[in-house]
């Protein structure tokens, strides 16, 4: 069946029951689909999902096989199924939730609160980034772990991302810079006035880069955004830049101005 040119399926089966409000919900449901085509060229060979709720405590579980979509490396999700499960407590004012995504190439674990002061903590574990970066010419490989925490208070969104890994590359020019382990700590705040980065660092045994800055929104209509940033680069071995050099180096930089003035 094809209700629209960008929405179709070969088979679709859905049934369920729901009684009560969100806070008191008693529900059960099941969905199965084959040959699903969704907008934006998303295709799913098979989709199976179940839903259950008791006294406002809702949980869901699903499995997706044969998923292809623009931007996803070819074959990554088409080879093995993607399993998703999670839940949310509608009987609690802060709406606590959890979400787990499992695949042979990566796992995602997230928990947080969807109401009050919304926040989320998420952990991402990738056994080998090569599977996720097939289309990038730097040919990276190796394990990577990410932790992200986001919190929204009023009109302000605070974000912190930390990462650790032990990456390598088959390209000699990139391999020389990947003296692991690698780590990163990035902190940002976004509100109506703009986007600000606190001291954020990316480092390994070859170099470390620390940067902070702000992209400020215009105070009047038709005025440009302004940029202010500073950075510190510590290089453990100057021969990475030129083989004839030796020793360490520290480089400091700063810039400020409007986006229009910074265009190259």
């Amino acid at each position: 069946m094809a209700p629209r040119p960008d929405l179709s399926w070969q088979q679709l089966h859905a049934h369920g029951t729901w009684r009560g409000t969100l806070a008191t919900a008693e529900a059960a449901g099941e969905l199965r689909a084959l040959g699903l085509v969704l907008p934006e060229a998303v295709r799913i060979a098979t989709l199976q999902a179940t839903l259950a709720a008791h006294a406002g405590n809702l949980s869901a579980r699903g499995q997706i096989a044969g998923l292809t979509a623009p931007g996803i490396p070819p074959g990554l999700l088409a080879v093995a199924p993607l399993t998703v499960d999670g839940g949310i407590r509608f009987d609690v004012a802060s709406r606590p939730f959890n979400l787990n995504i499992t695949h042979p190439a990566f796992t995602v674990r997230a928990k947080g609160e969807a109401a009050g002061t919304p926040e989320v903590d998420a952990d991402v574990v990738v056994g080998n980034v090569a599977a996720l970066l097939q289309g990038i010419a730097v040919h990276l490989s190796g394990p990577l772990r990410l932790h992200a925490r986001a919190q929204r208070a009023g009109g302000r969104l605070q974000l912190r991302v930390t990462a650790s890994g032990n990456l390598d590359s088959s390209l000699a020019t990139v391999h020389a810079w990947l003296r692991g382990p690698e780590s990163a700590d990035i902190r940002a705040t976004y509100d109506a006035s703009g986007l600000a980065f606190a001291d954020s660092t990316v480092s390994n045994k070859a170099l470390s880069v620390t940067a902070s800055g702000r992209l400020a929104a215009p105070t009047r209509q038709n005025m440009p955004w302004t940029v202010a940033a500073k950075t510190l680069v510590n290089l453990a071995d100057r021969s990475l830049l030129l083989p004839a050099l030796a020793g360490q180096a520290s480089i400091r930089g700063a810039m400020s101005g409007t986006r229009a003035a910074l265009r190259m």
Side-chain angles (χ1 to χ4, degrees), residues 2 31 50 55 58 61 66-68 71 74 127 149 217 222 230 250 263:
L31 171 67
T50 59
L58 185 146
R61 180 177 179 82
L67 171 62
T68 61
R149 175 175 174 80
N222 298 325
K230 60 180 181 179
S250 292
R263 287 177 184 167

Side-chain angles (χ1 to χ4, degrees), residues 36-255:
L36 189 60
V37 178
L38 301 175
E40 306 300 328
V42 176
R43 295 176 178 272
I44 298 173
T46 62
L47 168 65
Q48 300 182 44
T50 59
L51 177 146
H54 176 67
N57 187 359
L58 185 146
S59 62
R61 180 177 179 82
Q63 187 177 81
I64 301 171
L67 171 62
T68 61
I72 297 178
L76 174 64
L77 302 180
V79 175
L82 186 73
T83 301
V84 182
D85 68 82
I88 185 168
R89 294 285 303 274
F90 287 110
D91 59 325
V92 178
S94 61
R95 303 289 194 264
F97 68 88
N98 66 85
L99 175 66
N100 303 306
I101 303 174
T102 305
H103 185 269
F106 62 90
T107 60
V108 179
R109 301 281 186 267
K111 63 180 181 178
E113 298 182 344
T117 301
E119 61 182 35
V120 61
D121 275 281
D123 290 285
V124 180
V125 178
V126 182
N128 189 345
V129 299
L132 303 179
L133 303 177
Q134 297 175 24
I136 299 179
V138 292
H139 302 289
L140 287 177
S141 62
L144 179 66
R145 290 176 175 265
L146 298 171
H147 176 78
R149 175 175 174 80
Q151 184 180 59
R152 190 181 70 190
R156 172 171 291 189
L157 176 65
Q158 293 180 311
L159 175 67
R160 182 178 184 182
V161 178
T162 58
S164 62
N166 197 354
L167 304 180
D168 201 355
S169 173
S170 58
L171 296 180
T173 53
V174 179
H175 169 78
W177 293 89
L178 294 175
R179 298 181 183 179
E182 288 76 32
S183 65
D185 188 350
I186 301 171
R187 310 180 190 204
T189 301
Y190 175 79
D191 57 25
S193 66
L195 176 65
F197 287 91
D199 284 340
S200 299
T201 303
V202 178
S203 65
N204 63 12
K205 293 180 179 179
L207 82 162
S208 67
V209 179
T210 301
S212 62
R214 180 172 182 81
L215 179 62
T219 56
R220 291 181 295 173
Q221 190 175 9
N222 298 325
M223 294 291 290
W225 287 62
T226 58
V227 179
K230 60 180 181 179
T231 185
L232 170 64
V233 179
N234 290 314
L235 187 62
D237 184 358
R238 290 190 295 178
S239 67
L240 290 170
L241 296 176
L242 289 173
L245 298 178
Q248 302 176 344
S250 292
I251 304 169
R252 294 181 181 272
M255 68 176 183

